Amino acid sequence: MPAKTNLFVNTLPLLFICFTAVLGIYALGHFLQDTIRRNRHLPILEISAEVLPLDHDNEIPADRISVNMPTYFATEATVNVYRARRGDKPVGLIFSPVRARGYNGIIELAVGIEYDGTLTGVRILQHRETPGLGDQIHQDNSSWILGFTGRSLINTPREGWAGKNDGGLFDHISGATSSQRAVIRAVEHTLDYYMINRDHLY
């Protein structure tokens, strides 16, 4: 048998194994595509009922756009905007993750806003704030974050968007001044962005 033919015959099993492996990886990726997509938006699936407890009939994670507005948000990174609708009418949005510069690093938030510009909920997704101090902004450690619900740029004056220690309307958390300032500022800026761009966001 010629050397070239012998080499070809000997490499056939290896080629078959490689082809089968590639085909298997492709098939597995295609099969898991929905799961991967769902896991990517798992934080929203877990928290949407808390930050946007409004009646809707669409699948929020699938109705999404991304925005990039460093003027309003703390970083150059994009922010996902998840849209809730009822029929063909807009109901509200979830901005996530909204980033605030805390004392020890970036704080990530989910901010829910009803169509009229009223906050329906704010939750902390991730943070690095000091345990027992800055971490009191987190919903698992205190009820402070619940103070945003129901507020808007209409019913809360500009000077009110601060902690009471700074002359504002939000409760003060002892030892967490930098953290609460960052969160309040991020939520206020998110509302600013929403009210200016509402029609484009839907």
Side-chain angles (χ1 to χ4, degrees), residues 148-169:
F148 288 100
T149 303
R151 293 197 177 274
S152 70
L153 297 179
I154 295 174
N155 64 26
T156 304
R158 285 295 179 180
E159 61 271 19
W161 289 93
K164 290 181 179 178
N165 56 312
D166 291 326
L169 297 175

PDB file of all heavy atoms in Angstrom, residues 148-169:
ATOM      1  N   PHE A 148     -37.007  54.435  48.542  1.00  0.00           N
ATOM      2  CA  PHE A 148     -37.119  55.009  47.192  1.00  0.00           C
ATOM      3  C   PHE A 148     -38.488  54.763  46.560  1.00  0.00           C
ATOM      4  O   PHE A 148     -38.916  55.526  45.692  1.00  0.00           O
ATOM      5  CB  PHE A 148     -36.045  54.416  46.273  1.00  0.00           C
ATOM      6  CG  PHE A 148     -34.657  54.892  46.570  1.00  0.00           C
ATOM      7  CD1 PHE A 148     -33.776  54.109  47.303  1.00  0.00           C
ATOM      8  CD2 PHE A 148     -34.227  56.128  46.124  1.00  0.00           C
ATOM      9  CE1 PHE A 148     -32.497  54.548  47.582  1.00  0.00           C
ATOM     10  CE2 PHE A 148     -32.946  56.586  46.390  1.00  0.00           C
ATOM     11  CZ  PHE A 148     -32.074  55.791  47.133  1.00  0.00           C
ATOM     12  N   THR A 149     -39.157  53.707  46.970  1.00  0.00           N
ATOM     13  CA  THR A 149     -40.421  53.314  46.339  1.00  0.00           C
ATOM     14  C   THR A 149     -41.463  54.427  46.457  1.00  0.00           C
ATOM     15  O   THR A 149     -41.709  54.956  47.537  1.00  0.00           O
ATOM     16  CB  THR A 149     -40.957  52.024  46.982  1.00  0.00           C
ATOM     17  OG1 THR A 149     -39.970  50.996  46.876  1.00  0.00           O
ATOM     18  CG2 THR A 149     -42.231  51.559  46.296  1.00  0.00           C
ATOM     19  N   GLY A 150     -42.045  54.772  45.319  1.00  0.00           N
ATOM     20  CA  GLY A 150     -43.080  55.796  45.289  1.00  0.00           C
ATOM     21  C   GLY A 150     -42.572  57.203  45.048  1.00  0.00           C
ATOM     22  O   GLY A 150     -43.364  58.122  44.824  1.00  0.00           O
ATOM     23  N   ARG A 151     -41.265  57.371  45.057  1.00  0.00           N
ATOM     24  CA  ARG A 151     -40.716  58.707  44.831  1.00  0.00           C
ATOM     25  C   ARG A 151     -40.545  58.979  43.336  1.00  0.00           C
ATOM     26  O   ARG A 151     -40.387  58.060  42.532  1.00  0.00           O
ATOM     27  CB  ARG A 151     -39.376  58.879  45.551  1.00  0.00           C
ATOM     28  CG  ARG A 151     -39.515  58.857  47.065  1.00  0.00           C
ATOM     29  CD  ARG A 151     -38.298  59.427  47.750  1.00  0.00           C
ATOM     30  NE  ARG A 151     -38.469  59.473  49.192  1.00  0.00           N
ATOM     31  CZ  ARG A 151     -39.056  60.461  49.856  1.00  0.00           C
ATOM     32  NH1 ARG A 151     -39.551  61.505  49.188  1.00  0.00           N
ATOM     33  NH2 ARG A 151     -39.165  60.435  51.161  1.00  0.00           N
ATOM     34  N   SER A 152     -40.552  60.246  42.995  1.00  0.00           N
ATOM     35  CA  SER A 152     -40.347  60.667  41.607  1.00  0.00           C
ATOM     36  C   SER A 152     -39.726  62.054  41.618  1.00  0.00           C
ATOM     37  O   SER A 152     -39.574  62.674  42.687  1.00  0.00           O
ATOM     38  CB  SER A 152     -41.675  60.698  40.847  1.00  0.00           C
ATOM     39  OG  SER A 152     -42.491  61.760  41.310  1.00  0.00           O
ATOM     40  N   LEU A 153     -39.386  62.548  40.443  1.00  0.00           N
ATOM     41  CA  LEU A 153     -38.847  63.902  40.350  1.00  0.00           C
ATOM     42  C   LEU A 153     -39.931  64.946  40.573  1.00  0.00           C
ATOM     43  O   LEU A 153     -39.635  66.123  40.797  1.00  0.00           O
ATOM     44  CB  LEU A 153     -38.196  64.113  38.981  1.00  0.00           C
ATOM     45  CG  LEU A 153     -36.985  63.230  38.675  1.00  0.00           C
ATOM     46  CD1 LEU A 153     -36.465  63.519  37.276  1.00  0.00           C
ATOM     47  CD2 LEU A 153     -35.886  63.415  39.712  1.00  0.00           C
ATOM     48  N   ILE A 154     -41.188  64.510  40.512  1.00  0.00           N
ATOM     49  CA  ILE A 154     -42.310  65.427  40.716  1.00  0.00           C
ATOM     50  C   ILE A 154     -42.635  65.568  42.200  1.00  0.00           C
ATOM     51  O   ILE A 154     -42.836  66.675  42.698  1.00  0.00           O
ATOM     52  CB  ILE A 154     -43.554  64.945  39.937  1.00  0.00           C
ATOM     53  CG1 ILE A 154     -43.275  64.988  38.437  1.00  0.00           C
ATOM     54  CG2 ILE A 154     -44.776  65.796  40.281  1.00  0.00           C
ATOM     55  CD1 ILE A 154     -44.374  64.400  37.588  1.00  0.00           C
ATOM     56  N   ASN A 155     -42.681  64.438  42.927  1.00  0.00           N
ATOM     57  CA  ASN A 155     -43.088  64.518  44.338  1.00  0.00           C
ATOM     58  C   ASN A 155     -41.917  64.664  45.303  1.00  0.00           C
ATOM     59  O   ASN A 155     -42.132  64.776  46.513  1.00  0.00           O
ATOM     60  CB  ASN A 155     -43.951  63.311  44.731  1.00  0.00           C
ATOM     61  CG  ASN A 155     -43.198  61.984  44.645  1.00  0.00           C
ATOM     62  OD1 ASN A 155     -41.978  61.928  44.759  1.00  0.00           O
ATOM     63  ND2 ASN A 155     -43.952  60.902  44.434  1.00  0.00           N
ATOM     64  N   THR A 156     -40.703  64.662  44.788  1.00  0.00           N
ATOM     65  CA  THR A 156     -39.529  64.835  45.643  1.00  0.00           C
ATOM     66  C   THR A 156     -38.678  65.968  45.075  1.00  0.00           C
ATOM     67  O   THR A 156     -38.115  65.824  43.976  1.00  0.00           O
ATOM     68  CB  THR A 156     -38.689  63.540  45.714  1.00  0.00           C
ATOM     69  OG1 THR A 156     -39.518  62.474  46.168  1.00  0.00           O
ATOM     70  CG2 THR A 156     -37.509  63.703  46.665  1.00  0.00           C
ATOM     71  N   PRO A 157     -38.566  67.092  45.757  1.00  0.00           N
ATOM     72  CA  PRO A 157     -37.790  68.225  45.233  1.00  0.00           C
ATOM     73  C   PRO A 157     -36.308  67.881  45.127  1.00  0.00           C
ATOM     74  O   PRO A 157     -35.828  66.945  45.772  1.00  0.00           O
ATOM     75  CB  PRO A 157     -38.032  69.326  46.272  1.00  0.00           C
ATOM     76  CG  PRO A 157     -38.359  68.591  47.532  1.00  0.00           C
ATOM     77  CD  PRO A 157     -39.114  67.364  47.099  1.00  0.00           C
ATOM     78  N   ARG A 158     -35.604  68.633  44.328  1.00  0.00           N
ATOM     79  CA  ARG A 158     -34.184  68.353  44.103  1.00  0.00           C
ATOM     80  C   ARG A 158     -33.398  68.314  45.406  1.00  0.00           C
ATOM     81  O   ARG A 158     -32.533  67.460  45.600  1.00  0.00           O
ATOM     82  CB  ARG A 158     -33.591  69.417  43.170  1.00  0.00           C
ATOM     83  CG  ARG A 158     -33.987  69.241  41.723  1.00  0.00           C
ATOM     84  CD  ARG A 158     -33.435  67.947  41.146  1.00  0.00           C
ATOM     85  NE  ARG A 158     -33.846  67.772  39.755  1.00  0.00           N
ATOM     86  CZ  ARG A 158     -33.505  66.731  39.015  1.00  0.00           C
ATOM     87  NH1 ARG A 158     -32.769  65.752  39.522  1.00  0.00           N
ATOM     88  NH2 ARG A 158     -33.918  66.622  37.766  1.00  0.00           N
ATOM     89  N   GLU A 159     -33.681  69.242  46.300  1.00  0.00           N
ATOM     90  CA  GLU A 159     -32.940  69.268  47.557  1.00  0.00           C
ATOM     91  C   GLU A 159     -33.266  68.067  48.446  1.00  0.00           C
ATOM     92  O   GLU A 159     -32.545  67.773  49.400  1.00  0.00           O
ATOM     93  CB  GLU A 159     -33.207  70.575  48.320  1.00  0.00           C
ATOM     94  CG  GLU A 159     -34.658  70.811  48.703  1.00  0.00           C
ATOM     95  CD  GLU A 159     -35.456  71.539  47.634  1.00  0.00           C
ATOM     96  OE1 GLU A 159     -35.017  71.562  46.459  1.00  0.00           O
ATOM     97  OE2 GLU A 159     -36.536  72.060  47.973  1.00  0.00           O
ATOM     98  N   GLY A 160     -34.365  67.382  48.108  1.00  0.00           N
ATOM     99  CA  GLY A 160     -34.739  66.209  48.893  1.00  0.00           C
ATOM    100  C   GLY A 160     -33.955  64.954  48.543  1.00  0.00           C
ATOM    101  O   GLY A 160     -33.955  63.983  49.296  1.00  0.00           O
ATOM    102  N   TRP A 161     -33.256  64.966  47.396  1.00  0.00           N
ATOM    103  CA  TRP A 161     -32.501  63.793  46.960  1.00  0.00           C
ATOM    104  C   TRP A 161     -31.143  63.753  47.653  1.00  0.00           C
ATOM    105  O   TRP A 161     -30.085  63.904  47.055  1.00  0.00           O
ATOM    106  CB  TRP A 161     -32.352  63.787  45.445  1.00  0.00           C
ATOM    107  CG  TRP A 161     -33.642  63.502  44.754  1.00  0.00           C
ATOM    108  CD1 TRP A 161     -34.548  64.423  44.302  1.00  0.00           C
ATOM    109  CD2 TRP A 161     -34.199  62.216  44.474  1.00  0.00           C
ATOM    110  NE1 TRP A 161     -35.636  63.782  43.762  1.00  0.00           N
ATOM    111  CE2 TRP A 161     -35.455  62.430  43.848  1.00  0.00           C
ATOM    112  CE3 TRP A 161     -33.765  60.905  44.684  1.00  0.00           C
ATOM    113  CZ2 TRP A 161     -36.275  61.378  43.439  1.00  0.00           C
ATOM    114  CZ3 TRP A 161     -34.574  59.854  44.291  1.00  0.00           C
ATOM    115  CH2 TRP A 161     -35.810  60.089  43.671  1.00  0.00           C
ATOM    116  N   ALA A 162     -31.214  63.546  48.957  1.00  0.00           N
ATOM    117  CA  ALA A 162     -30.014  63.435  49.793  1.00  0.00           C
ATOM    118  C   ALA A 162     -30.438  62.805  51.116  1.00  0.00           C
ATOM    119  O   ALA A 162     -31.634  62.705  51.426  1.00  0.00           O
ATOM    120  CB  ALA A 162     -29.395  64.812  50.030  1.00  0.00           C
ATOM    121  N   GLY A 163     -29.445  62.358  51.869  1.00  0.00           N
ATOM    122  CA  GLY A 163     -29.741  61.841  53.190  1.00  0.00           C
ATOM    123  C   GLY A 163     -30.123  62.963  54.137  1.00  0.00           C
ATOM    124  O   GLY A 163     -29.801  64.139  53.897  1.00  0.00           O
ATOM    125  N   LYS A 164     -30.810  62.625  55.214  1.00  0.00           N
ATOM    126  CA  LYS A 164     -31.244  63.658  56.167  1.00  0.00           C
ATOM    127  C   LYS A 164     -30.057  64.380  56.788  1.00  0.00           C
ATOM    128  O   LYS A 164     -30.170  65.556  57.159  1.00  0.00           O
ATOM    129  CB  LYS A 164     -32.114  63.011  57.245  1.00  0.00           C
ATOM    130  CG  LYS A 164     -33.477  62.565  56.725  1.00  0.00           C
ATOM    131  CD  LYS A 164     -34.338  61.936  57.810  1.00  0.00           C
ATOM    132  CE  LYS A 164     -35.704  61.538  57.238  1.00  0.00           C
ATOM    133  NZ  LYS A 164     -36.560  60.868  58.249  1.00  0.00           N
ATOM    134  N   ASN A 165     -28.923  63.700  56.878  1.00  0.00           N
ATOM    135  CA  ASN A 165     -27.728  64.351  57.399  1.00  0.00           C
ATOM    136  C   ASN A 165     -27.194  65.419  56.447  1.00  0.00           C
ATOM    137  O   ASN A 165     -26.437  66.309  56.854  1.00  0.00           O
ATOM    138  CB  ASN A 165     -26.633  63.318  57.665  1.00  0.00           C
ATOM    139  CG  ASN A 165     -26.294  62.497  56.438  1.00  0.00           C
ATOM    140  OD1 ASN A 165     -27.178  61.991  55.746  1.00  0.00           O
ATOM    141  ND2 ASN A 165     -25.006  62.352  56.153  1.00  0.00           N
ATOM    142  N   ASP A 166     -27.600  65.338  55.181  1.00  0.00           N
ATOM    143  CA  ASP A 166     -27.219  66.336  54.177  1.00  0.00           C
ATOM    144  C   ASP A 166     -28.364  67.284  53.853  1.00  0.00           C
ATOM    145  O   ASP A 166     -28.314  68.021  52.858  1.00  0.00           O
ATOM    146  CB  ASP A 166     -26.761  65.645  52.894  1.00  0.00           C
ATOM    147  CG  ASP A 166     -25.441  64.907  53.062  1.00  0.00           C
ATOM    148  OD1 ASP A 166     -24.588  65.382  53.841  1.00  0.00           O
ATOM    149  OD2 ASP A 166     -25.255  63.853  52.419  1.00  0.00           O
ATOM    150  N   GLY A 167     -29.426  67.261  54.660  1.00  0.00           N
ATOM    151  CA  GLY A 167     -30.555  68.148  54.441  1.00  0.00           C
ATOM    152  C   GLY A 167     -31.620  67.588  53.519  1.00  0.00           C
ATOM    153  O   GLY A 167     -32.531  68.319  53.114  1.00  0.00           O
ATOM    154  N   GLY A 168     -31.524  66.295  53.180  1.00  0.00           N
ATOM    155  CA  GLY A 168     -32.484  65.671  52.282  1.00  0.00           C
ATOM    156  C   GLY A 168     -33.578  64.916  53.007  1.00  0.00           C
ATOM    157  O   GLY A 168     -33.778  65.086  54.218  1.00  0.00           O
ATOM    158  N   LEU A 169     -34.283  64.064  52.263  1.00  0.00           N
ATOM    159  CA  LEU A 169     -35.450  63.362  52.801  1.00  0.00           C
ATOM    160  C   LEU A 169     -35.203  61.887  53.104  1.00  0.00           C
ATOM    161  O   LEU A 169     -36.073  61.226  53.686  1.00  0.00           O
ATOM    162  CB  LEU A 169     -36.610  63.474  51.789  1.00  0.00           C
ATOM    163  CG  LEU A 169     -37.110  64.892  51.506  1.00  0.00           C
ATOM    164  CD1 LEU A 169     -38.177  64.870  50.407  1.00  0.00           C
ATOM    165  CD2 LEU A 169     -37.674  65.535  52.769  1.00  0.00           C
TER     166      LEU A 169
END
